[in-house]
Amino acid sequence: MYEEKWRPQFHFSPKEMWMNDPNGLAYYDGEYHLFFQHHPYSKIWGPMHWGHAVSKDLLHWEELPIALYPDELGQIFSGSAVIDKQNTSGLKDSDEDVMVAIFTHHGEDNEKQSIAYSNDRGRTWTKYEGNPVISNPGLKDFRDPKVFWHNESNKWVMALACGDHIRFYHSPNLLDWSYLSSFGENYGAHGGVWECPDLVHIPVEGSNEKKWLLIVSVNPGGPNGGSAVQYFVGDFNGEAFICDDDNKTIKWADYGRDFYAAVTWSNVEEPIWIGWMSNWQYANEVPTDPFRSAMSIPKRLALRMQDNTYKLVQTPIDLKKLIKETIVQKEEVIIQPGFAKKLKVSNLPLLIKGEVKELDRETSLMKVTLAGEKDKIEILFDREKEELVLDRRNSGNVSFSNEFPSVDTMPLHEIYDFEILIDCASIEIFLNGGSSVMTEIFFINKDCFTLEVSVTGGEVSLKNVSIDYLKSIW
Ligand code: FRU
């Protein structure tokens, strides 16, 4: 049971101390593994370890002992984990399949890739004697290996972040790697360094088609400042990634300020990812105690063909079993200009869902406010500007960093439906079946709120609206 102020109640956070990127996401025999960048002795980023947690349902997490400690080759930076079912590595020595972690050793002078393995369901780890398995070729940034089994060419493939591009390597056995190709110098957003790539085969909604999705985090240079995740859609032929779009297209996975370093689970049928819910601009200063940072909700991924291009759609995993009490369940709610709908909310977390049936052509603004006594978070759909605005300038404790108070925007033509996840210190907004997403954190100072919806111009009809209190996962 965690009850500290601003402790997320249905998102993973470490019991104590610092956390950043999700690492080593792998499913094995009923358990989803979540390793994470962790500094176990401080709430400030420092010598990186891999913390560890497991879950049977991606909702309830059990934190386990630290999996990987820094050593003479350096800190343990981000990376991935795979289940080596065919024992290609020869590292298996029990009845269990061997789980292999591929990570960056961050030494004083360089970054290189190393591996460690576990023959007991990820409980204990041994570092491979022949580390590193890929030494540094003379690049300052050379990190965050994400490995997957490429069936068509019967080999392991690694995506690696190299400053301003991604390099692909391949291997028959996870131990011997050779260079394949590079992507990205002239593609996408380059406001900062590229980090935490992932290459994943992903279904296209409503078809049997699959495409390759290349995920790349960039810091700074996000759409609203600081760290953010971009993606590319294309093909992968076992050697190179070929992007469908031209090199000027930038696609953001999330327009909020707090979704970073997201990658997918390995050894699952359908792609599911999770991201770190913070931003390097202020991550070291957020006012939580005795821990710092939480993960996003895990989300299923697919592509949707829209306006002649593939768009990433994200669906949060089902929260039904966390519902404690339904406080609103209405087939229709009509909101007229000048008559705001107000609801007293006695606690968080909350799950809000519904559809937007008709936005009157005259409707210029639709506003949702979660307000305490003095603090508030505002979400505004501006019809004329065609954008969603999230304003957290007065959301409670905002003074710990100048970068934190902000008004952030996301391009948006219409709203058909919405699913809003509000935990004690975060909001995740999914619109239009998850094709427009915004994730932000906040530190509000009240347990009792008013939820208010108002419109300007013309009336709006909301359908199938539900508001639920959620239980704690702890
Ligand atoms: C991304 C990142 C990674 C690195 C890790 C270090 O947030 O900078 O590139 O491996 O964090 O903690």
Side-chain angles (χ1 to χ4, degrees):
M1 189 82 161
Y2 285 145
E3 289 177 320
E4 304 96 340
K5 195 174 186 187
W6 300 320
R7 170 72 84 170
Q9 292 300 319
F10 68 100
H11 290 86
F12 177 76
S13 58
K15 184 165 188 290
E16 52 182 18
M17 302 303 171
W18 169 267
M19 174 177 82
N20 56 295
D21 313 356
N23 294 151
L25 304 178
Y27 176 80
Y28 178 65
D29 195 20
E31 289 181 326
Y32 292 91
H33 291 263
L34 165 63
F35 298 87
F36 51 90
Q37 288 286 279
H38 190 34
H39 187 188
Y41 315 115
S42 169
K43 281 200 306 172
I44 307 273
W45 186 90
M48 282 292 109
H49 299 56
W50 273 26
H52 189 195
V54 288
S55 173
K56 291 191 165 60
D57 61 2
L58 290 170
L59 281 174
H60 297 85
W61 295 96
E62 182 194 350
E63 195 169 335
L64 297 177
I66 288 171
L68 296 172
Y69 287 79
D71 56 41
E72 61 291 347
L73 290 177
Q75 306 183 39
I76 314 297
F77 268 23
S78 286
S80 50
V82 294
I83 311 303
D84 184 10
K85 290 179 202 165
Q86 301 174 50
N87 193 23
T88 62
S89 62
L91 296 170
K92 174 181 159 93
D93 72 3
S94 79
D95 291 343
E96 303 286 352
D97 286 340
V98 59
M99 193 182 291
V100 179
I102 309 95
F103 57 87
T104 299
H105 256 131
H106 177 91
E108 272 183 14
D109 47 355
N110 67 28
E111 297 184 328
K112 55 251 162 196
Q113 318 321 318
S114 290
I115 67 176
Y117 55 95
S118 167
N119 277 294
D120 59 357
R121 309 164 59 87
R123 279 8 184 221
T124 59
W125 289 85
T126 309
K127 292 196 185 110
Y128 175 58
E129 277 182 9
N131 280 340
V133 293
I134 304 182
S135 36
N136 190 294
L139 292 172
K140 175 169 169 287
D141 299 296
F142 189 65
R143 61 176 175 271
D144 308 340
K146 181 73 165 79
V147 173
F148 65 95
W149 177 256
H150 188 246
N151 239 337
E152 291 73 8
S153 55
N154 209 31
K155 66 188 183 192
W156 299 101
V157 172
M158 176 193 293
L160 194 66
C162 301
D164 63 352
H165 65 280
I166 303 303
R167 289 192 184 186
F168 298 103
Y169 289 76
H170 65 158
S171 169
N173 57 9
L174 295 165
L175 310 174
D176 305 303
W177 291 93
S178 33
Y179 172 80
L180 270 178
S181 60
S182 299
F183 171 82
E185 279 99 337
N186 304 312
Y187 278 83
H190 283 279
V193 66
W194 281 21
E195 300 184 316
C196 301
D198 194 355
L199 182 61
V200 49
H201 211 192
I202 168 175
V204 177
E205 271 184 357
S207 78
N208 293 326
E209 196 193 354
K210 278 189 158 190
K211 295 288 292 181
W212 286 89
L213 174 77
L214 177 64
I215 299 161
V216 177
S217 285
V218 58
N219 175 52
N224 284 295
S227 359
V229 181
Q230 61 182 325
Y231 65 93
F232 305 89
V233 180
D235 291 310
F236 180 71
N237 57 14
E239 288 192 4
F241 174 77
I242 302 109
C243 189
D244 278 3
D245 293 304
D246 64 34
N247 63 355
K248 285 177 196 70
T249 309
I250 297 177
K251 291 176 165 173
W252 296 109
D254 191 307
Y255 277 83
R257 302 278 297 288
D258 300 294
F259 185 71
Y260 195 61
V263 281
T264 61
W265 261 276
S266 70
N267 199 31
V268 288
E269 295 290 311
E270 290 174 342
I272 308 176
W273 73 349
I274 193 168
W276 175 46
M277 252 197 320
S278 198
N279 189 313
W280 280 115
Q281 288 181 315
Y282 44 74
N284 275 293
E285 279 116 52
V286 298
T288 53
D289 195 59
F291 67 100
R292 224 179 227 142
S293 297
M295 293 299 175
S296 73
I297 198 76
K299 306 175 244 192
R300 291 180 201 283
L301 300 180
L303 292 175
R304 181 182 299 165
M305 187 34 115
Q306 195 177 311
D307 305 327
N308 251 340
T309 185
Y310 288 105
K311 220 175 159 192
L312 184 65
V313 293
Q314 306 176 55
T315 317
I317 52 153
D318 198 347
L319 295 169
K320 239 182 245 131
K321 68 176 175 197
L322 290 186
I323 295 176
K324 182 163 71 180
E325 187 192 344
T326 300
I327 50 174
V328 171
Q329 181 73 269
K330 288 235 163 95
E331 260 174 45
E332 182 165 38
V333 179
I334 294 183
I335 303 154
Q336 288 164 332
F339 298 91
K341 294 274 180 214
K342 292 186 188 179
L343 179 77
K344 280 259 171 279
V345 176
S346 60
N347 58 55
L348 298 177
L350 276 186
L351 172 63
I352 305 174
K353 277 187 185 186
E355 290 150 34
V356 182
K357 189 62 205 306
E358 275 153 26
L359 268 183
D360 194 319
R361 290 182 67 89
E362 300 299 311
T363 310
S364 51
L365 295 175
M366 185 169 136
K367 188 156 97 180
V368 180
T369 312
L370 181 74
E373 241 159 49
K374 290 203 209 96
D375 310 337
K376 63 176 179 190
I377 295 154
E378 250 175 27
I379 309 166
L380 193 94
F381 174 46
D382 188 327
R383 235 306 186 52
E384 271 137 38
K385 290 197 187 141
E386 299 203 307
E387 62 186 23
L388 193 85
V389 183
L390 184 54
D391 182 349
R392 63 173 180 189
R393 283 173 302 175
N394 300 304
S395 61
N397 187 341
V398 298
S399 59
F400 54 89
S401 159
N402 288 338
E403 303 284 1
F404 186 78
S406 57
V407 182
D408 302 312
T409 57
M410 163 166 73
L412 190 71
H413 303 303
E414 268 304 342
I415 303 184
Y416 310 107
D417 58 30
F418 52 90
E419 178 162 2
I420 304 177
L421 281 48
I422 308 180
D423 203 338
C424 300
S426 64
I427 180 162
E428 290 161 287
I429 305 171
F430 298 86
L431 302 177
N432 303 341
S435 63
S436 293
V437 183
M438 243 176 145
T439 303
E440 297 219 346
I441 55 174
F442 56 78
F443 305 96
I444 204 160
N445 281 314
K446 193 81 175 67
D447 285 336
C448 208
F449 305 96
T450 307
L451 188 63
E452 183 175 323
V453 187
S454 62
V455 294
T456 310
E459 70 175 37
V460 167
S461 158
L462 306 180
K463 295 275 185 189
N464 302 319
V465 178
S466 66
I467 304 181
D468 306 300
Y469 287 133
L470 298 182
K471 289 189 265 215
S472 173
I473 57 168
W474 303 114

